[in-house]
Amino acid sequence: MSRFAYVNGRFVRHGEAVVHIEDRGYQLADGVYEVWAVFDGKLADAEGHFTRLWRSLDELRITHPMGQAALTFVLREAVRRNKVRDGLVYLQVTRGVARRDHAFPNPGVAPSMVITAKSVDRELAERKAAQGASVISVPENRWGRCDIKSIGLLPNALAKQAARERGAVEAWFVDELGLVTEGASSNAWIVDAEGNLRTRDANANILRGITRSTLFEVIREAGLPINEKPFTIAEAQGAREAFVTGAGTLVLPIVNIDGVKLGDGLPGPVATRLRRLYIQRAKEKAV
Ligand code: PDD
């Protein structure tokens, strides 16, 4: 099937889509990104991802490439042209193209923007979620602004590769206090020994996950106890359940941490229920 990408104002064939060699994204990782899950051809948690995109851009003083209405149109067009029913849309915005210099171009240049979309086999994803996934831990080695969804993802890529080489789907970063910060591309959660849902406070140098925020609403409506308190790997290994959240994984039960099986090694009832409730909510609210 032909795929199409949006590059700086137009849709082009995916195989022919190119950016300039002096784009600051390519040269300096000077840019941000966002990822929307797509359900039935519609964008999930749309507003939350837009709000975070504008914030990431503002924090880095990168000009907004376009307004929200226009961007919504282009994202939907990327979904439509790629015939994505269930999948993901990726957006990258960089500071633009300029002669190489670490400092910002002066005068400023127009930001660059790229959008791609891909399909996901949700039936396969459901089968995998029903089996549960494994994570490994790696030392936290990222910068102090993980609240910005920066395209500078080298530590995340290395962590994810380490996970893959050990048969795991995700790597959890662990800070110098021995506390889990988040995953390489997801937020980390446990259901602790007392039955409380636990995840790290989003003000503590992690990405404020949009899936995480929506799940907070779902959890409150379900009347489940929640505590924004970080946990150690040992606590997670002794927890009743664990799971990760993100646009790519939705709510994915974790059944093995650093080779230690959680409980009976099967996805727990809370994570399984939250996955179902999150997907239901995301589908209802998708636009
Ligand atoms: N990753 N933490 C990190 C480091 C992430 O990269 C992501 C998302 C999340 C979860 O955020 P959200 O719920 O808004 O997707 C947390 C995306 C999916 C990615 O890099 O592909």
Side-chain angles (χ1 to χ4, degrees):
M1 192 200 82
S2 355
R3 289 182 68 194
F4 296 92
Y6 177 91
V7 186
N8 294 325
R10 59 196 187 103
F11 280 95
V12 293
R13 285 191 180 281
H14 190 270
E16 290 158 20
V18 289
V19 293
H20 195 281
I21 57 165
E22 281 200 308
D23 191 289
R24 289 177 61 92
Y26 182 69
Q27 296 268 349
L28 302 157
D30 186 4
V32 305
Y33 76 111
E34 263 308 329
V35 187
W36 286 258
V38 178
F39 290 99
D40 304 324
K42 295 186 199 154
L43 305 172
D45 291 329
E47 194 64 35
H49 287 284
F50 280 121
T51 303
R52 189 174 63 192
L53 171 66
W54 307 136
R55 181 182 179 278
S56 294
L57 291 168
D58 292 344
E59 289 295 314
L60 299 178
R61 294 194 275 152
I62 295 174
T63 313
H64 295 198
M66 54 176 72
Q68 189 161 316
L71 186 52
T72 305
F73 178 83
V74 182
L75 290 169
R76 284 192 180 138
E77 194 58 17
V79 169
R80 192 185 69 79
R81 289 196 190 215
N82 288 288
K83 300 188 171 58
V84 174
R85 191 169 163 71
D86 293 303
L88 293 159
V89 195
Y90 295 87
L91 163 83
Q92 278 84 16
V93 181
T94 77
R95 199 179 304 280
V97 176
R99 189 187 156 101
R100 195 179 188 286
D101 180 3
H102 285 67
F104 300 173
N106 185 15
V109 293
S112 304
M113 182 164 97
V114 167
I115 297 171
T116 48
K118 71 174 185 191
S119 295
V120 166
D121 182 343
R122 292 246 189 259
E123 275 174 31
L124 178 64
E126 281 314 313
R127 286 203 295 278
K128 284 191 178 164
Q131 289 174 350
S134 304
V135 299
I136 61 158
S137 63
V138 293
E140 178 65 88
N141 59 357
R142 298 174 301 160
W143 70 329
R145 293 303 309 271
C146 294
D147 57 308
I148 297 171
K149 201 162 170 61
S150 154
I151 59 170
L153 289 171
L154 196 47
N156 308 59
L158 294 176
K160 198 71 120 181
Q161 179 60 22
R164 189 146 309 162
E165 286 171 9
R166 287 166 56 187
V169 302
E170 181 60 301
W172 280 356
F173 290 111
V174 177
D175 70 14
E176 70 282 5
L177 299 174
L179 298 166
V180 173
T181 57
E182 63 183 325
S185 66
S186 60
N187 289 115
W189 298 68
I190 59 168
V191 181
D192 70 16
E194 284 77 48
N196 293 308
L197 281 152
R198 294 250 302 269
T199 192
R200 192 179 179 94
D201 177 357
N203 296 313
N205 198 33
I206 60 165
L207 188 73
R208 188 180 291 274
I210 305 304
T211 315
R212 175 188 182 280
S213 299
T214 298
L215 199 64
F216 266 63
E217 292 170 24
V218 170
I219 289 166
R220 289 208 184 93
E221 280 167 25
L224 298 170
I226 185 163
N227 192 354
E228 284 181 84
K229 191 176 157 203
F231 48 84
T232 63
I233 289 293
E235 271 181 289
Q237 287 170 329
R240 289 190 192 170
E241 298 182 35
F243 59 95
V244 296
T245 58
T249 45
L250 309 176
V251 177
L252 179 64
I254 298 301
V255 294
N256 189 302
I257 302 171
D258 279 340
V260 174
K261 215 160 72 169
L262 262 76
D264 57 6
L266 292 171
V270 176
T272 303
R273 179 173 175 217
L274 290 179
R275 179 177 177 87
R276 183 172 51 76
L277 292 176
Y278 170 77
I279 292 174
Q280 197 179 318
R281 158 76 59 113
K283 280 186 174 174
E284 278 166 17
K285 299 225 164 161
V287 294

